[in-house]
Amino acid sequence: MSDADCLISVVIGTYNRAELLRVALKTLAAQTLPLAEYEVIVVDNNSTDETVHVVEEARQHLPSLRYCFERKPGISVARNHGWRVARGHYVAFTDDDSRLPAEWLATAKRLILRHAPAAFGGPYLACYDGPKPPWFKDSYESTNVSDTKGYLVGPNLFLRRYLLEATGGFNPALGIVGKRLGYGEEGALLQVVRQRCPGELIHYYPSFHVHHVVRTEKMRLLWQLYRRFVLGRYFYRVYGREYLSLVSCRQQCLRLLKTLKLLIYDHPRQLVRRNRTQYPYYQHYLVEVLGRDLRVAGGMVEQFQQTITRRATCDDFPPSGRPEK
């Protein structure tokens, strides 16, 4: 395949999830877009399972499939490796636990020819490879398809390759690293794109969806609550820096203490008195109400930590910015 023929390069970063990757590659092999118009790049992020074997097996149906090895951990690092070797005019990012509709790439081509967006994508919807708890809602692991201003997300994200070259790609400090939860890498990249290329079209298509497998560990209550706390921390890292100097350290402490009181004292009482029509399972209240406040708390903790770090740095250096002799 020549660079001129390749419209889309699909990049999948993966780490020790060979069985999930196998199914994702099958859905890519079943695309209705002609094989000559796209390539698939699997970036193995130092896996120790059967990932290499799965890629070799998938080449029988995906002749343009390419394998890359990236030792340094992190989804952002893996994605950066992938786009740097990509040949397509557009680079599509998806995950090893995605299930892609057969028309996914053909629809992407129509959107490209019709609108020529610099970046575009759509929602992801929860799907399951096993039973789910009766309290677990699809919305807990799906994006809102009715939101016409939705965020572009990693399992369903397309960018022109030159934008990645112009911006340097994803921030390695953001996103999942190994088994450590992390978020925000897509939002941070798109912020840079908007700043450096303000005239470029970035579009969200609510009907342009993919499916995303909700693994067993994600359907545990503690995981859902922890995820929301971590989301709050990363949301502040990406979107909240401009507010860092607007609130004093003392005010941050008071706000954090009030939030802790809400989490520890108020929510247990409200859980008992909850509206059982709105929250038939107690997990619904905890995920939807307590989880919202945990996200706020995560942002506050991140803001407080950054403020302390910033003050410590300022104490180490004089106003001139040069260390004292």
Side-chain angles (χ1 to χ4, degrees):
M1 177 190 298
S2 68
D3 292 3
D5 294 332
C6 185
L7 176 65
I8 300 170
S9 296
V10 182
V11 173
I12 304 178
T14 186
Y15 172 66
N16 282 345
R17 299 205 296 205
E19 291 307 312
L20 288 168
L21 177 65
R22 176 179 279 114
V23 181
L25 292 176
K26 285 181 179 178
T27 66
L28 280 166
Q31 294 295 302
T32 57
L33 186 70
L35 287 170
E37 296 187 44
Y38 71 98
E39 65 174 353
V40 178
I41 301 168
V42 172
V43 182
D44 181 351
N45 206 190
N46 206 15
S47 300
T48 56
D49 62 359
E50 298 298 314
T51 294
V52 176
H53 174 72
V54 166
V55 173
E56 289 300 324
E57 180 184 86
R59 277 205 178 101
Q60 300 174 29
H61 307 288
L62 272 173
S64 63
L65 176 59
R66 299 160 64 194
Y67 172 87
C68 302
F69 183 82
E70 174 57 62
R71 186 176 301 277
K72 185 177 179 181
I75 186 63
S76 292
V77 175
R79 287 175 176 167
N80 286 339
H81 188 139
W83 70 256
R84 288 190 176 109
V85 301
R87 294 190 283 245
H89 299 293
Y90 280 80
V91 181
F93 297 96
T94 192
D95 292 341
D96 53 12
D97 53 1
S98 295
R99 303 292 178 263
L100 308 167
E103 293 286 332
W104 185 56
L105 291 178
T107 302
K109 179 182 178 180
R110 287 196 295 272
L111 295 173
I112 290 168
L113 295 178
R114 187 179 306 159
H115 304 292
F120 68 95
Y124 64 86
L125 308 177
C127 68
Y128 307 88
D129 53 8
K132 65 175 180 175
W135 62 268
F136 192 88
K137 295 182 181 180
D138 291 348
S139 60
Y140 294 162
E141 287 295 326
S142 302
T143 50
N144 186 357
V145 296
S146 63
D147 183 2
T148 58
K149 296 181 180 179
Y151 294 103
L152 300 185
V153 290
N156 194 8
L157 174 63
F158 290 70
L159 295 106
R160 284 188 182 271
R161 191 177 61 189
Y162 82 83
L163 282 178
L164 292 159
E165 294 167 350
T167 59
F170 297 94
N171 183 347
L174 300 173
I176 294 173
V177 178
K179 294 184 178 181
R180 189 192 75 198
L181 272 184
Y183 300 96
E185 68 277 15
E186 302 98 347
L189 172 59
L190 292 170
Q191 274 194 324
V192 175
V193 170
R194 290 186 178 99
Q195 291 167 2
R196 297 187 184 179
C197 311
E200 296 286 4
L201 175 64
I202 299 175
H203 206 85
Y204 176 85
Y205 299 96
S207 61
F208 181 57
H209 70 273
V210 301
H211 291 97
H212 210 241
V213 175
V214 183
R215 302 185 305 279
T216 302
E217 65 267 24
K218 290 187 174 184
M219 292 184 281
R220 294 172 182 151
L221 176 62
L222 287 179
W223 194 94
Q224 285 292 319
L225 296 178
Y226 177 65
R227 173 179 180 265
R228 281 155 177 77
F229 178 78
V230 175
L231 268 172
R233 298 198 68 169
Y234 278 88
F235 186 87
Y236 182 81
R237 289 184 193 181
V238 175
Y239 302 107
R241 293 182 186 276
E242 61 270 25
Y243 304 113
L244 188 61
S245 60
L246 299 184
V247 181
S248 70
C249 189
R250 180 175 179 275
Q251 289 173 316
Q252 289 177 40
C253 288
L254 290 174
R255 286 171 54 189
L256 190 55
L257 287 173
K258 288 180 181 178
T259 303
L260 289 174
K261 172 185 174 293
L262 178 67
L263 297 177
I264 296 170
Y265 179 72
D266 294 345
H267 275 304
R269 293 188 306 152
Q270 293 172 12
L271 175 64
V272 175
R273 301 172 184 174
R274 74 187 187 276
N275 182 335
R276 283 171 168 74
T277 301
Q278 187 176 4
Y279 308 111
Y281 292 92
Y282 76 88
Q283 292 96 332
H284 292 160
Y285 176 88
L286 293 176
V287 172
E288 295 168 32
V289 182
L290 174 62
R292 180 189 60 213
D293 291 332
L294 282 171
R295 183 168 177 170
V296 172
M300 288 183 178
V301 168
E302 185 65 25
Q303 182 186 29
F304 182 72
Q305 181 176 320
Q306 289 192 21
T307 302
I308 295 298
T309 302
R310 189 180 181 188
R311 291 185 63 179
T313 303
C314 291
D315 290 342
D316 289 341
F317 291 91
S320 65
R322 296 186 298 272
E324 292 180 337
K325 296 182 180 179

